[in-house]
C-alpha cells in the first residue's frame, strides 16, 4: 500500500509540474522567467514532498494540530502568489479545461477507501474524503470536456463542480482532524492518518487540490468579466491589431 500511494503521488505531481512547464511556455513572459518558473516549481514540489515524508517518518503528524499547522505554509504561499504579476500571467493563459481536467488525479482518494476496507482507517475519516475525492476525480474529465466544447451551461456546471470539490476537501480535512482528537472515538484509530502513507493525502495532496480550486474560481470570474467587456472599451492597441488582420 505504501509503495502504491508514494508512486501515484509522485506521478500526479510529475504531471502537475509538466502542466506548469507547458503553461510557462505559453505565457507572455521572458525566456528567463519561463526557466525560473519551471525550475522553481520543480524544486518546491520535491522539497515539499521530501519535507512531509521526513516529518511523517519522525512522527510529527501524530500530534494533534500538526497537519493544520503544516498546511499554513502552502496556503500562505498560494495566496501571496496572486500578488505576483508573473503568476497572474501564467494563470491567465492556463486553459480552463486543463486546470479542471487535472483534478482527475483525485481518484487517488480511492486508496483511502481501500484503507477503510482493509480495516486500517476509520470510516468516519476515510469515507467522506474517499467518496468525495473519487466523485470529483471521475467528473473532472467530462466537466473539462464540456467547458472545452463550450457546451450549454458549461460555466455554471464548472462553478458547481468546483464548489463541490472545494467544499468536499474542507469537509474531509475537518472530519479527519477531529477524528484524531478525543472528541470522536473511532475504531480503528484515526492515528494512521498521521503516518505514512496516508498522511500524504491531507498534508500533501489536499493543498494542491484546494489551491487549484481557488485558482479555478479566479479564472472563471476573470474570463466571465473579460467576456462581458464591451468592444468599445477594449484597448485601442488590440482594436488596431484586429483591424490590421
Amino acid at each position: 500500500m505504501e509503495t502504491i500511494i508514494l508512486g501515484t503521488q509522485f506521478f500526479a505531481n510529475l504531471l502537475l509540474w509538466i502542466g506548469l512547464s507547458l503553461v510557462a511556455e505559453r505565457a507572455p513572459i521572458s525566456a528567463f522567467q519561463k526557466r525560473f518558473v519551471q525550475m522553481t516549481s520543480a524544486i518546491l514540489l520535491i522539497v515539499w514532498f521530501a519535507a512531509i515524508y521526513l516529518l511523517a517518518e519522525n512522527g510529527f503528524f501524530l500530534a494533534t494540530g500538526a497537519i493544520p499547522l503544516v498546511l499554513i505554509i502552502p496556503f500562505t504561499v498560494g495566496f501571496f502568489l496572486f500578488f505576483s504579476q508573473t503568476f497572474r500571467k501564467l494563470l491567465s493563459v492556463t486553459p480552463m479545461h486543463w486546470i479542471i481536467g487535472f483534478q482527475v488525479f483525485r481518484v487517488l482518494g480511492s486508496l483511502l477507501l481501500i484503507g477503510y476496507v482493509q480495516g486500517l482507517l476509520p470510516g468516519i475519516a476515510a469515507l467522506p474524503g474517499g467518496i468525495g475525492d473519487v466523485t470529483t476525480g471521475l467528473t473532472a474529465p467530462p466537466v473539462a470536456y464540456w467547458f472545452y466544447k463550450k457546451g450549454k451551461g458549461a460555466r455554471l456546471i464548472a462553478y458547481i463542480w468546483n464548489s463541490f470539490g472545494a467544499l468536499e476537501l474542507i469537509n474531509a480535512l475537518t472530519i479527519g482532524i477531529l477524528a484524531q482528537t478525543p472528541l470522536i472515538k473511532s475504531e480503528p484509530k484515526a492515528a494512521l492518518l498521521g503516518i505514512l502513507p496516508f498522511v500524504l493525502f491531507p498534508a500533501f495532496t489536499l493543498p494542491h487540490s484546494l489551491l487549484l480550486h481557488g485558482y479555478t474560481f479566479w479564472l472563471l470570474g476573470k474570463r466571465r468579466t473579460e467576456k462581458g467587456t464591451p468592444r468599445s472599451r477594449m484597448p485601442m492597441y488590440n482594436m488596431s491589431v484586429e483591424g490590421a488582420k
Side-chain angles (χ1 to χ4, degrees), residues 1-24:
M1 176 70 78
E2 181 171 343
T3 301
I4 294 174
I5 293 179
L6 289 174
T8 52
Q9 292 282 358
F10 176 82
F11 181 71
N13 283 279
L14 176 60
L15 290 180
L16 176 61
W17 179 79
I18 291 174
L20 286 170
S21 297
L22 292 175
V23 167

Side-chain angles (χ1 to χ4, degrees), residues 105-205:
F105 80 89
R106 294 274 291 279
V107 296
L108 296 179
S110 59
L111 295 172
L112 292 174
L113 300 179
I114 293 175
Y116 165 69
V117 172
Q118 293 180 339
L120 300 175
L121 294 174
I124 193 171
L127 292 179
I131 294 174
D133 275 353
V134 171
T135 302
T136 303
L138 290 178
T139 53
V143 172
Y145 177 77
W146 195 244
F147 199 96
Y148 172 71
K149 299 297 289 185
K150 299 180 181 179
K152 184 177 181 180
R155 185 174 297 277
L156 176 60
I157 292 173
Y159 267 116
I160 294 173
W161 172 87
N162 204 47
S163 299
F164 171 81
L167 291 174
E168 180 275 319
L169 285 173
I170 295 172
N171 177 64
L173 177 63
T174 303
I175 294 177
I177 293 173
L178 291 175
Q180 288 186 294
T181 68
L183 295 175
I184 299 180
K185 295 181 179 180
S186 59
E187 292 294 342
K189 297 298 183 182
L192 282 175
L193 285 173
I195 64 175
L196 291 169
F198 295 112
V199 71
L200 291 173
F201 287 100
F204 188 68
T205 305

